[in-house]
Amino acid sequence: MPTVTTRTVEQQAIKAGRKPGRRTDEVIAASVLSDGIYELVIRDPYVARTAEPAQFVNLYPSDARMVLPRPFGVAKIEGDDVTLIYQIVGAGTQEFSQLQAGDVVDVLGPLGKPFDVSKPANYVLVGGGLGVPPLLYAAQILNQRNDGSEVTSVFGYRDECFADDLVAPFADRTHSIVNAEGNVVDLLNDIEDELNNAGKQPIILSCGPTPMMKAVAAWASKRNIPAQFSLEARMGCGYGACVACVVDTPSGRLKVCKDGPVFTTEELGWEA
Ligand SMILES: Cc1cc2nc3c(=O)[nH]c(=O)nc-3n(C[C@H](O)[C@H](O)[C@H](O)COP(=O)(O)OP(=O)(O)OC[C@H]3O[C@@H](n4cnc5c(N)ncnc54)[C@H](O)[C@@H]3O)c2cc1C
Ligand code: FES
C-alpha cells in the first residue's frame, strides 16, 4: 500500500479544487537576522504559488501546551521556498527560533485578504518594526511587474535596520529611520517632495504598530493619498471560526484574520 503523507493529502486537495489544510513543511534554512529577529525558510509549494502580499501563514508549535497557531506574514518567495521573518516575543516564537534546516513544522495558509496592488502606482511601503515582512513581499511582487509601478520603502526601526538590505533589490527608493532619529511620519514629511515628484500617484501600504499606522493614515488622508493597512491582532484560529481577532470599525466588528488583515483608511474610520 502506498504511504500517505501530508504532501499527498495536500496534492489531493489541490486537485479537487480545495485549499489544502494543515500540513507538515520542511525547514530549509533558519538564521538570525538581528538581535531577537529570526529568518525561517520553509518549503511549501502551495504557499509559494498562491500567496499574495500581506497574506499570512499559521505556524503550529509542537509543544502540546500551545494549541493555537502563530500567524506570520510571508516575507519572500523563491521557487518553492517561503521566507518568514519574526521576532521572539513569547513561548511560540521561542520554540520556532530553535528550528534548524531539516526539521519540520506544521503550517496552514496562505490566509487572509491581501493588499490590493492591482493599479499601477508608486507604492509607498510604510513599515514599523516587525510590520516590515509583508511589505518586503509586496516589494518583491511589485518589482516583478511590468506596468510602470514604482516602489518606495519607508521603514522605521527600533534600532537595527535589519530589512534595508532585504528590500533594496526590489525598491526604486529606500528610506529608513531609527527611533532615536524620529518616526516614519517625520520621514514621510522629509520625502514628501520626492513622493510628489515620482512618476506615479502614490498609494501607501502600511504595516506596524497601530499608533504608527493611525498617524500614517492621518498623514495620508490630509494629502488625499489612498492607504491600506495590514492590522495585527491576537489570533486564535486564523480563518474566521473563533472571533478572537475582532476589530471595531464604522461598519461594525470585523475579523482581522478573514475580513483583513488588510483594510483601507475608510474601512477603519482612520481618516481624521
Ligand atoms: C496577520 C499577522 C501577521 C503577523 N506577521 C508577523 C511577522 O511577519 N513577524 C512577526 O514577528 N510577527 C508577526 N505577527 C505577530 C506574531 O503572530 C506574534 O508575535 C506571535 O504570534 C507571538 O507568539 P508567541 O507564542 O511567541 O507569543 P505569545 O506567548 O503568544 O505572546 C507573548 C506576548 O505577545 C503578545 N502577542 C502575541 N501575539 C500578538 C499579536 N498578534 N498582537 C499583539 N500582541 C501579541 C501577547 O499578548 C503576549 O503578551 C503577525 C501577527 C498577525 C496577526
Ligand atoms: S482568529 Fe479566529 S476568527 Fe480570527
Side-chain angles (χ1 to χ4, degrees):
M1 197 202 265
T3 319
V4 178
T5 63
T6 50
R7 193 61 75 203
T8 325
V9 174
E10 176 189 333
Q11 278 156 6
Q12 284 168 349
I14 295 166
K15 231 174 166 177
R18 298 192 305 272
K19 291 183 179 177
R22 178 172 164 173
R23 54 204 178 269
T24 304
D25 283 349
E26 186 186 350
V27 172
I28 302 302
S31 54
V32 182
L33 272 189
S34 153
D35 190 24
I37 299 178
Y38 288 71
E39 187 176 64
L40 181 71
V41 184
I42 53 173
R43 180 149 298 158
D44 191 307
Y46 182 73
V47 173
R49 273 200 309 280
T50 60
E52 296 180 61
Q55 284 195 300
F56 60 93
V57 295
N58 273 348
L59 289 198
Y60 293 81
S62 65
D63 185 333
R65 288 166 299 180
M66 291 185 272
V67 287
L68 297 177
R70 271 52 174 179
F72 300 99
V74 171
K76 188 169 160 194
I77 290 183
E78 278 176 312
D80 288 343
D81 295 349
V82 178
T83 299
L84 311 173
I85 294 173
Y86 64 93
Q87 186 174 28
I88 297 189
V89 299
T93 42
Q94 182 65 51
E95 185 196 298
F96 300 140
S97 73
Q98 304 303 308
L99 288 169
Q100 300 289 328
D103 290 344
V104 291
V105 61
D106 274 14
V107 174
L108 180 71
L111 299 166
K113 198 181 87 180
F115 285 127
D116 175 1
V117 290
S118 54
K119 291 190 189 130
N122 174 23
Y123 285 96
V124 184
L125 313 178
V126 186
L130 266 291
V132 160
L135 300 173
L136 296 176
Y137 185 46
Q140 186 188 8
I141 290 289
L142 289 163
N143 183 252
Q144 289 162 2
R145 294 202 329 206
N146 237 340
D147 63 357
S149 285
E150 297 167 40
V151 174
T152 304
S153 66
V154 180
F155 290 169
Y157 302 96
R158 194 174 56 189
D159 39 39
E160 204 171 330
C161 302
F162 65 87
D164 280 9
D165 289 347
L166 302 176
V167 77
F170 307 123
D172 298 281
R173 291 168 287 273
T174 57
H175 303 277
S176 64
I177 193 163
V178 293
N179 275 351
E181 297 166 337
N183 60 39
V184 289
V185 173
D186 300 324
L187 195 46
L188 285 169
N189 285 331
D190 289 347
I191 62 163
E192 192 170 352
D193 287 345
E194 178 191 294
L195 294 182
N196 289 333
N197 295 334
K200 289 262 181 296
Q201 146 85 32
I203 293 180
I204 288 179
L205 309 179
S206 185
C207 188
T210 302
M212 179 211 92
M213 290 195 287
K214 284 188 172 168
V216 171
W219 188 92
S221 66
K222 267 193 209 126
R223 293 157 179 82
N224 283 323
I225 298 175
Q228 303 169 38
F229 300 91
S230 183
L231 299 198
E232 269 208 16
R234 198 88 169 97
M235 286 191 182
C237 64
Y239 45 78
C242 72
V243 204
C245 64
V246 286
V247 58
D248 286 316
T249 76
S251 46
R253 304 191 90 193
L254 297 177
K255 292 175 179 171
V256 172
C257 66
K258 197 156 188 280
D259 302 312
V262 173
F263 300 91
T264 62
T265 311
E266 296 72 26
E267 284 169 330
L268 293 167
W270 281 1
E271 293 95 335

